[in-house]
Amino acid sequence: MDPTLLPGDPASLSPIALFQQADLVVKAVMIGLLAASIWSWAIILAAGAKLRRAGGESDRLEREFWKAQDIDRFFDRHGEAEIPAARILAAGIREWRRSTAGPVIDREGVRARLATLMNSACAAEIDRLSARLNVLATIGSVAPFVGLFGTVWGIMRSFTAIASAQNTSLAVVAPGIAEALFATAIGLFAAIPAVIAYNRLSHGIDRLEARLLRFADAFHATLSRELDADR
């Protein structure tokens, strides 16, 4: 402990002072938790921006698609766009062109393949959008326990100091306990935003998945009617 900071000195309760006075193990725990917090915020900001962009662009593309008079021309203009709805559209159109290129068309087989490929494209987009959400879930569930480990270690160190000093005064044990509890506070600081963001992003991804599946079903129905019209 820094001898210039008395236990009752308010400066000794500042985060920097608590970190400087902590044991090496507790310091390592604090640094690890702060790194986890920074990592989680980077994921939160990147995933949130990606989800908003994917949802907005997909919504615009869907509105334009249903207004289009020529599906093939619309696909030629937008089929290569890096948009979830565009990838579902591309999967359906490409399979449609392959399946209807021959002289004989297996209509039920075409319908089954269209449904499978568009659902697979939707699942691939959802997997891409939720790629790093498991990190948030891990930080949210593990960080409090890592902080608790630092707290337990710090309290053990404080009781060892009591035994060494043979003094049960609160002035002896309080600084070590404060440092230890600070580790738990950092653990909660890392975990709470990660849990909240994970739930919010998961909800947003679920909503986008439902919308993409509705688009895939509606497009599948459109192509199915085209099959019936060609009889």
Side-chain angles (χ1 to χ4, degrees):
M1 183 184 304
D2 189 343
T4 64
L5 292 173
L6 298 176
D9 187 352
S12 65
L13 297 179
S14 71
I16 295 176
L18 289 173
F19 174 79
Q20 291 175 341
Q21 297 166 38
D23 179 75
L24 285 177
V25 173
V26 181
K27 283 182 179 178
V29 169
M30 292 178 180
I31 291 172
L33 290 172
L34 286 173
S37 179
I38 294 170
W39 189 14
S40 69
W41 275 108
I43 294 173
I44 290 167
L45 296 175
K50 184 165 63 174
L51 181 59
R52 285 192 299 272
R53 184 170 59 252
E57 291 175 345
S58 293
D59 187 55
R60 285 192 296 273
L61 185 136
E62 288 179 42
R63 289 198 304 267
E64 293 175 9
F65 173 77
W66 294 120
K67 293 177 183 177
Q69 300 297 320
D70 190 324
I71 293 178
D72 287 324
R73 185 178 299 172
F74 182 88
F75 171 71
D76 291 338
R77 289 201 311 268
H78 302 284
E80 300 300 325
E82 299 293 320
I83 301 172
R87 291 192 175 100
I88 293 172
L89 175 67
I93 289 292
R94 286 167 182 155
E95 180 55 35
W96 169 266
R97 289 176 175 177
R98 285 192 297 266
S99 297
T100 58
V104 179
I105 299 175
D106 178 8
R107 289 176 171 79
E108 293 306 315
V110 172
R111 290 187 176 96
R113 288 192 295 273
L114 286 171
T116 299
L117 287 173
M118 285 194 288
N119 287 337
S120 296
C122 180
E125 291 304 303
I126 296 303
D127 287 344
R128 184 178 63 84
L129 290 171
S130 59
R132 293 191 292 175
L133 292 190
N134 62 321
V135 176
L136 294 181
T138 301
I139 292 173
S141 60
V142 172
F145 295 100
V146 175
L148 183 61
F149 167 75
T151 296
V152 171
W153 184 273
I155 291 174
M156 289 171 57
R157 177 170 167 262
S158 296
F159 281 114
T160 302
I162 291 175
S164 300
Q166 296 183 349
N167 185 348
T168 58
S169 171
L170 185 62
V172 174
V173 70
I177 293 178
E179 299 155 13
L181 292 174
F182 187 51
T184 295
I186 296 177
L188 295 175
F189 176 79
I192 292 173
V195 171
I196 294 173
Y198 175 80
N199 290 332
R200 292 298 302 165
L201 290 171
S202 295
H203 177 66
I205 288 173
D206 289 343
R207 291 182 60 189
L208 178 60
E209 181 180 17
R211 193 166 70 195
L212 292 175
L213 287 173
R214 287 195 298 269
F215 173 68
D217 290 341
F219 185 43
H220 182 274
T222 300
L223 295 178
S224 181
R225 285 193 294 271
E226 289 290 328
L227 284 173
D228 291 338
D230 290 340
R231 286 184 177 178

PDB file of all heavy atoms in Angstrom, residues 64 81 83 89 153 159 184 192 201 206:
ATOM      1  N   GLU A  64     -38.532  -1.794 -53.123  1.00  0.00           N
ATOM      2  CA  GLU A  64     -38.277  -1.590 -54.549  1.00  0.00           C
ATOM      3  C   GLU A  64     -38.591  -2.852 -55.353  1.00  0.00           C
ATOM      4  O   GLU A  64     -39.081  -2.767 -56.486  1.00  0.00           O
ATOM      5  CB  GLU A  64     -36.823  -1.183 -54.762  1.00  0.00           C
ATOM      6  CG  GLU A  64     -36.472   0.189 -54.195  1.00  0.00           C
ATOM      7  CD  GLU A  64     -34.994   0.505 -54.329  1.00  0.00           C
ATOM      8  OE1 GLU A  64     -34.287  -0.270 -55.023  1.00  0.00           O
ATOM      9  OE2 GLU A  64     -34.537   1.506 -53.754  1.00  0.00           O
ATOM     10  N   ALA A  81     -25.705  -7.044 -54.791  1.00  0.00           N
ATOM     11  CA  ALA A  81     -25.564  -6.139 -53.642  1.00  0.00           C
ATOM     12  C   ALA A  81     -25.264  -6.928 -52.375  1.00  0.00           C
ATOM     13  O   ALA A  81     -25.742  -8.055 -52.185  1.00  0.00           O
ATOM     14  CB  ALA A  81     -26.849  -5.325 -53.460  1.00  0.00           C
ATOM     15  N   ILE A  83     -26.359  -7.176 -49.461  1.00  0.00           N
ATOM     16  CA  ILE A  83     -27.529  -6.940 -48.619  1.00  0.00           C
ATOM     17  C   ILE A  83     -28.185  -8.296 -48.348  1.00  0.00           C
ATOM     18  O   ILE A  83     -28.303  -9.109 -49.269  1.00  0.00           O
ATOM     19  CB  ILE A  83     -28.519  -5.991 -49.312  1.00  0.00           C
ATOM     20  CG1 ILE A  83     -27.854  -4.646 -49.629  1.00  0.00           C
ATOM     21  CG2 ILE A  83     -29.771  -5.779 -48.464  1.00  0.00           C
ATOM     22  CD1 ILE A  83     -28.702  -3.723 -50.481  1.00  0.00           C
ATOM     23  N   LEU A  89     -32.699 -13.108 -52.633  1.00  0.00           N
ATOM     24  CA  LEU A  89     -33.211 -12.952 -53.991  1.00  0.00           C
ATOM     25  C   LEU A  89     -32.309 -13.650 -54.992  1.00  0.00           C
ATOM     26  O   LEU A  89     -32.783 -14.350 -55.896  1.00  0.00           O
ATOM     27  CB  LEU A  89     -33.320 -11.460 -54.315  1.00  0.00           C
ATOM     28  CG  LEU A  89     -33.723 -11.087 -55.741  1.00  0.00           C
ATOM     29  CD1 LEU A  89     -35.158 -11.505 -56.013  1.00  0.00           C
ATOM     30  CD2 LEU A  89     -33.546  -9.587 -55.971  1.00  0.00           C
ATOM     31  N   TRP A 153      -9.547 -13.055  -3.653  1.00  0.00           N
ATOM     32  CA  TRP A 153      -8.086 -13.024  -3.481  1.00  0.00           C
ATOM     33  C   TRP A 153      -7.671 -11.816  -2.644  1.00  0.00           C
ATOM     34  O   TRP A 153      -6.824 -11.929  -1.747  1.00  0.00           O
ATOM     35  CB  TRP A 153      -7.413 -12.992  -4.839  1.00  0.00           C
ATOM     36  CG  TRP A 153      -5.916 -13.046  -4.759  1.00  0.00           C
ATOM     37  CD1 TRP A 153      -5.050 -12.000  -4.620  1.00  0.00           C
ATOM     38  CD2 TRP A 153      -5.103 -14.223  -4.783  1.00  0.00           C
ATOM     39  NE1 TRP A 153      -3.759 -12.438  -4.570  1.00  0.00           N
ATOM     40  CE2 TRP A 153      -3.753 -13.799  -4.670  1.00  0.00           C
ATOM     41  CE3 TRP A 153      -5.373 -15.583  -4.907  1.00  0.00           C
ATOM     42  CZ2 TRP A 153      -2.693 -14.691  -4.673  1.00  0.00           C
ATOM     43  CZ3 TRP A 153      -4.315 -16.473  -4.911  1.00  0.00           C
ATOM     44  CH2 TRP A 153      -3.000 -16.038  -4.796  1.00  0.00           C
ATOM     45  N   PHE A 159      -6.843 -10.450   5.142  1.00  0.00           N
ATOM     46  CA  PHE A 159      -6.813 -11.233   6.382  1.00  0.00           C
ATOM     47  C   PHE A 159      -5.409 -11.716   6.710  1.00  0.00           C
ATOM     48  O   PHE A 159      -5.038 -11.842   7.884  1.00  0.00           O
ATOM     49  CB  PHE A 159      -7.779 -12.411   6.279  1.00  0.00           C
ATOM     50  CG  PHE A 159      -9.214 -12.026   6.493  1.00  0.00           C
ATOM     51  CD1 PHE A 159     -10.140 -12.126   5.474  1.00  0.00           C
ATOM     52  CD2 PHE A 159      -9.643 -11.556   7.730  1.00  0.00           C
ATOM     53  CE1 PHE A 159     -11.460 -11.763   5.663  1.00  0.00           C
ATOM     54  CE2 PHE A 159     -10.964 -11.198   7.935  1.00  0.00           C
ATOM     55  CZ  PHE A 159     -11.877 -11.300   6.903  1.00  0.00           C
ATOM     56  N   THR A 184     -14.648  -6.583  -8.206  1.00  0.00           N
ATOM     57  CA  THR A 184     -16.025  -6.986  -8.489  1.00  0.00           C
ATOM     58  C   THR A 184     -16.765  -5.887  -9.234  1.00  0.00           C
ATOM     59  O   THR A 184     -17.554  -6.164 -10.157  1.00  0.00           O
ATOM     60  CB  THR A 184     -16.763  -7.323  -7.181  1.00  0.00           C
ATOM     61  OG1 THR A 184     -16.159  -8.472  -6.590  1.00  0.00           O
ATOM     62  CG2 THR A 184     -18.226  -7.625  -7.447  1.00  0.00           C
ATOM     63  N   ILE A 192     -22.531  -6.009 -17.303  1.00  0.00           N
ATOM     64  CA  ILE A 192     -23.883  -5.470 -17.477  1.00  0.00           C
ATOM     65  C   ILE A 192     -24.126  -4.952 -18.896  1.00  0.00           C
ATOM     66  O   ILE A 192     -25.130  -5.327 -19.533  1.00  0.00           O
ATOM     67  CB  ILE A 192     -24.164  -4.388 -16.416  1.00  0.00           C
ATOM     68  CG1 ILE A 192     -24.244  -5.039 -15.031  1.00  0.00           C
ATOM     69  CG2 ILE A 192     -25.447  -3.643 -16.722  1.00  0.00           C
ATOM     70  CD1 ILE A 192     -24.347  -4.050 -13.881  1.00  0.00           C
ATOM     71  N   LEU A 201     -29.384  -6.988 -29.219  1.00  0.00           N
ATOM     72  CA  LEU A 201     -28.946  -7.385 -30.556  1.00  0.00           C
ATOM     73  C   LEU A 201     -29.593  -8.700 -30.980  1.00  0.00           C
ATOM     74  O   LEU A 201     -29.968  -8.860 -32.151  1.00  0.00           O
ATOM     75  CB  LEU A 201     -27.423  -7.511 -30.581  1.00  0.00           C
ATOM     76  CG  LEU A 201     -26.645  -6.195 -30.479  1.00  0.00           C
ATOM     77  CD1 LEU A 201     -25.156  -6.462 -30.295  1.00  0.00           C
ATOM     78  CD2 LEU A 201     -26.863  -5.330 -31.722  1.00  0.00           C
ATOM     79  N   ASP A 206     -33.385 -11.503 -34.439  1.00  0.00           N
ATOM     80  CA  ASP A 206     -34.579 -12.349 -34.572  1.00  0.00           C
ATOM     81  C   ASP A 206     -35.636 -11.657 -35.426  1.00  0.00           C
ATOM     82  O   ASP A 206     -36.300 -12.296 -36.257  1.00  0.00           O
ATOM     83  CB  ASP A 206     -35.143 -12.680 -33.196  1.00  0.00           C
ATOM     84  CG  ASP A 206     -34.272 -13.649 -32.420  1.00  0.00           C
ATOM     85  OD1 ASP A 206     -33.419 -14.308 -33.049  1.00  0.00           O
ATOM     86  OD2 ASP A 206     -34.428 -13.738 -31.189  1.00  0.00           O
TER      87      ASP A 206
END
